[in-house]
Amino acid sequence: MKFIPLPFAVLGCSLFLFTIEANAASQTQIDRGEYLARIGDCTGCHTTEDGQSFAGGLGIDSPFGTIYSSNITPDKQTGIGNYSRDDFAAALREGSLPDGTHLYPAMPYTAYAKVTDEDIDALYAYFMEGVEPVDNEPEKTDLSFPFNQRWGIGLWDWMFATADTYEPNPDQSEQYNRGAYLVEGLGHCGSCHTPRGLFFQQKAYGAGDDHFLTGQTLGVWYAPNLRGGGEGDQGLQGWSEKDIANYLATGRNVHSGVVGEMISVVQHSLSHLKDEDLTSIAVYLKSLPRSTEAPSDDEAPSVQDKTDENKDTSATLASAKVDIDSGERLYLDNCNACHFTNGKGASWVFPALKGNSLVVAENPDGLLHVILAGAQMPSTPKAPAKLAMPGFGWRLSDKEVADLATFVRSGWGNDGDSVTADQVAEVRKGIPEKVLRDSAPNMVKE
Ligand code: HEC
Ligand code: HEC
Ligand code: HEC
């Protein structure tokens, strides 16, 4: 056996320890980056349904045409393998690439602008070392003039992209600041929940502005007002912090079940967050006062406390009179089994229709889509069951769906406007025949 002189042994040992230390630190950073990528929902836009993780090519609809996401794996030819840390930071926070190209704001850099240097470092470590390189050249985005003039985005950025790294508000709690950082920054909740202006710019990027998170319509879906503060029971005002955290973690809670564009957000992003982060988000949302200024507050009708009317609706439905109107009858025949005569559904399983943001939204398209094509909750780690509602488009006429929707929008104290058969026909046209057929209950499927 060879004798190692003591000083060398010590040096060898500490070198050994040092290497372990260095690797361990960077693994922690890669893991942190992976978690941050979940919060930013990078996969939601950069992975196609059957494509490899982060290889890009998902088409994102915009009012100007389809924009295809980039390959953000560390592949050197088709991905971002040649990006330095600063190139990566500029793409994320400013939407600009090393060759001077401006990204379309379909990539939410206007929100990511709030991300701290430390988090950028971790994300960079993850994308360079924790993600498999994939050789994939996504389809090129080809918008019509003038939207194909990418230099125009530079001008747009100059006018509208105003956000800077998030500065904690010293008057608020640590929890609030964490929530604000996540919602306004990486979580980019405002990209769907904040109304857009004339130039498609988000009207606000943070808590300081009354327009922030006051809701907006996205295609057929309505992304509701998320300002949960103040007195009242409009939307999140009627939800506790725990209700909000539960919804984000599982797509369901005692009031509601997720549908539409929000399904993917819950499935790919929010259901993977730590409880303390979800609670921080809830604390922040509950702190935002319901704004009176924001125009979309009128657009998002409320449920007034009309206890008497509420009783009336339930009583009429329960009385089984023969002369009830067509909407009520259709409700009893088709919906009552799950959502009940009181419209309160069953906690965690069947959403309440009374006071539901989707049901009373100014634009009824989301409601009509659910009645026609049904809905399915996502499977999440904490609530794996994919509870589903069958669609009714295969058996109810446009007129019947209109009567039904009018009834649920006005029953139990809801105050949504009535719906016409033409509106139903319009939504039906946008749903592929196969989706309507497949949404029918199992027993009628061939
Ligand atoms: C809402 C959709 C969306 C989300 C979420 C999103 N991206 Fe993107 N991203 C895009 C689109 C679309 C493009 C391409 C835009 C273009 O061609 O102008 C893009 C481009 C990029 C680019 C530029 C790459 C290149 O060279 O073309 C990088 C880097 C990037 N995204 C990283 C990320 C990271 C990291 C996350 C998560 C923190 C993320 N993106 C989340 C939609 C998204
Ligand atoms: C891609 C668009 C999109 C993004 C991004 C998004 N949401 Fe949503 N969100 C929606 C839509 C659409 C709905 C309506 C879902 C429904 O009616 O079931 C919704 C519903 C919600 C609800 C339920 C509100 C209610 O009154 O029923 C909450 C809470 C919520 N979102 C929170 C968030 C948070 C927090 C973020 C950011 C971390 C976020 N959302 C990001 C589209 C989005
Ligand atoms: C077999 C049980 C069942 C029947 C019958 C049923 N639903 Fe549902 N409904 C559900 C489930 C489960 C969900 C949650 C699905 C989700 O969140 O993706 C749901 C969701 C909804 C939603 C969306 C709620 C939200 O918070 O986003 C509306 C609106 C709705 N149902 C209305 C109706 C109407 C109107 C009828 C009658 C035409 C009906 N349902 C019949 C089970 C049912």
Side-chain angles (χ1 to χ4, degrees), residues 256-258 334-335 338-339 349 351 356 367 375-377 388-389 404:
S256 190
V258 67
N334 297 292
C335 322
C338 297
H339 295 282
V349 185
N356 189 300
L367 170 65
Q376 189 172 52
M377 291 178 186
M389 162 170 156
L404 185 52

Side-chain angles (χ1 to χ4, degrees), residues 114-135:
K114 299 210 175 186
V115 177
T116 60
D117 285 342
E118 205 190 348
D119 282 354
I120 291 280
D121 291 341
L123 280 164
Y124 182 68
Y126 171 61
F127 278 98
M128 291 302 142
E129 294 169 55
V131 171
E132 282 297 312
V134 178
D135 179 359

Side-chain angles (χ1 to χ4, degrees), residues 220-221 335 358 364-375 389-402 404-405 419-441:
V220 303
W221 305 110
C335 322
L358 173 93
D365 290 359
L367 170 65
L368 300 178
H369 198 287
V370 169
I371 297 177
L372 290 169
M389 162 170 156
F392 292 84
W394 61 282
R395 51 176 293 234
L396 297 182
S397 69
D398 291 345
K399 171 74 169 64
E400 287 172 320
V401 173
L404 185 52
V419 174
T420 66
D422 286 348
Q423 282 174 292
V424 180
E426 205 46 48
V427 175
R428 190 191 286 271
K429 250 196 279 171
I431 306 174
E433 190 59 36
K434 182 172 180 324
V435 172
L436 279 184
R437 216 177 33 242
D438 290 352
S439 71

Side-chain angles (χ1 to χ4, degrees), residues 128-150:
M128 291 302 142
E129 294 169 55
V131 171
E132 282 297 312
V134 178
D135 179 359
N136 178 47
E137 191 73 66
E139 192 160 336
K140 286 266 170 293
T141 299
D142 184 17
L143 304 187
S144 54
F145 184 84
F147 305 112
N148 56 357
Q149 302 296 301
R150 282 181 181 258

Side-chain angles (χ1 to χ4, degrees), residues 200-250:
F200 202 61
Q201 83 281 17
Q202 234 173 273
K203 285 196 176 160
Y205 293 102
D209 188 311
D210 267 2
H211 288 101
F212 190 58
L213 300 181
T214 51
Q216 125 176 271
T217 300
L218 307 163
V220 303
W221 305 110
Y222 173 67
N225 191 324
L226 295 184
R227 303 177 69 99
E231 299 287 307
D233 61 355
Q234 304 184 25
L236 294 199
Q237 276 183 327
W239 294 17
S240 68
E241 284 165 8
K242 201 160 180 26
D243 292 339
I244 298 177
N246 282 333
Y247 180 89
L248 302 177
T250 66

Side-chain angles (χ1 to χ4, degrees), residues 44-259:
C45 291
H46 285 278
T47 307
T48 57
E49 205 173 317
D50 30 46
Q52 284 173 283
S53 284
F54 304 117
L58 187 77
I60 295 165
D61 289 331
S62 83
F64 324 111
T66 304
I67 299 172
Y68 293 94
S69 64
S70 320
N71 177 345
I72 55 168
T73 71
D75 184 63
K76 288 198 187 300
Q77 269 73 47
T78 60
I80 60 170
N82 293 319
Y83 279 32
S84 68
R85 183 266 180 211
D86 289 349
D87 293 341
F88 181 78
L92 243 67
R93 293 195 291 211
E94 291 151 35
S96 62
L97 299 188
D99 64 2
T101 307
H102 286 287
L103 294 176
Y104 288 111
M107 160 75 184
Y109 58 85
T110 51
Y112 294 161
K114 299 210 175 186
V115 177
T116 60
D117 285 342
E118 205 190 348
D119 282 354
I120 291 280
D121 291 341
L123 280 164
Y124 182 68
Y126 171 61
F127 278 98
M128 291 302 142
E129 294 169 55
V131 171
E132 282 297 312
V134 178
D135 179 359
N136 178 47
E137 191 73 66
E139 192 160 336
K140 286 266 170 293
T141 299
D142 184 17
L143 304 187
S144 54
F145 184 84
F147 305 112
N148 56 357
Q149 302 296 301
R150 282 181 181 258
W151 59 266
I153 311 169
L155 197 64
W156 186 95
D157 286 345
W158 179 74
M159 289 166 70
F160 302 117
T162 51
D164 226 332
T165 313
Y166 181 75
E167 283 291 339
N169 180 341
D171 299 334
Q172 296 282 3
S173 68
E174 206 172 299
Q175 239 182 351
Y176 169 99
N177 278 306
R178 176 68 179 162
Y181 176 66
L182 296 175
V183 168
E184 298 178 10
L186 265 182
H188 65 282
C189 316
S191 67
C192 292
H193 287 275
T194 300
R196 303 231 170 215
L198 210 51
F199 298 95
F200 202 61
Q201 83 281 17
Q202 234 173 273
K203 285 196 176 160
Y205 293 102
D209 188 311
D210 267 2
H211 288 101
F212 190 58
L213 300 181
T214 51
Q216 125 176 271
T217 300
L218 307 163
V220 303
W221 305 110
Y222 173 67
N225 191 324
L226 295 184
R227 303 177 69 99
E231 299 287 307
D233 61 355
Q234 304 184 25
L236 294 199
Q237 276 183 327
W239 294 17
S240 68
E241 284 165 8
K242 201 160 180 26
D243 292 339
I244 298 177
N246 282 333
Y247 180 89
L248 302 177
T250 66
R252 64 202 81 177
N253 62 16
V254 296
H255 308 281
S256 190
V258 67
V259 299

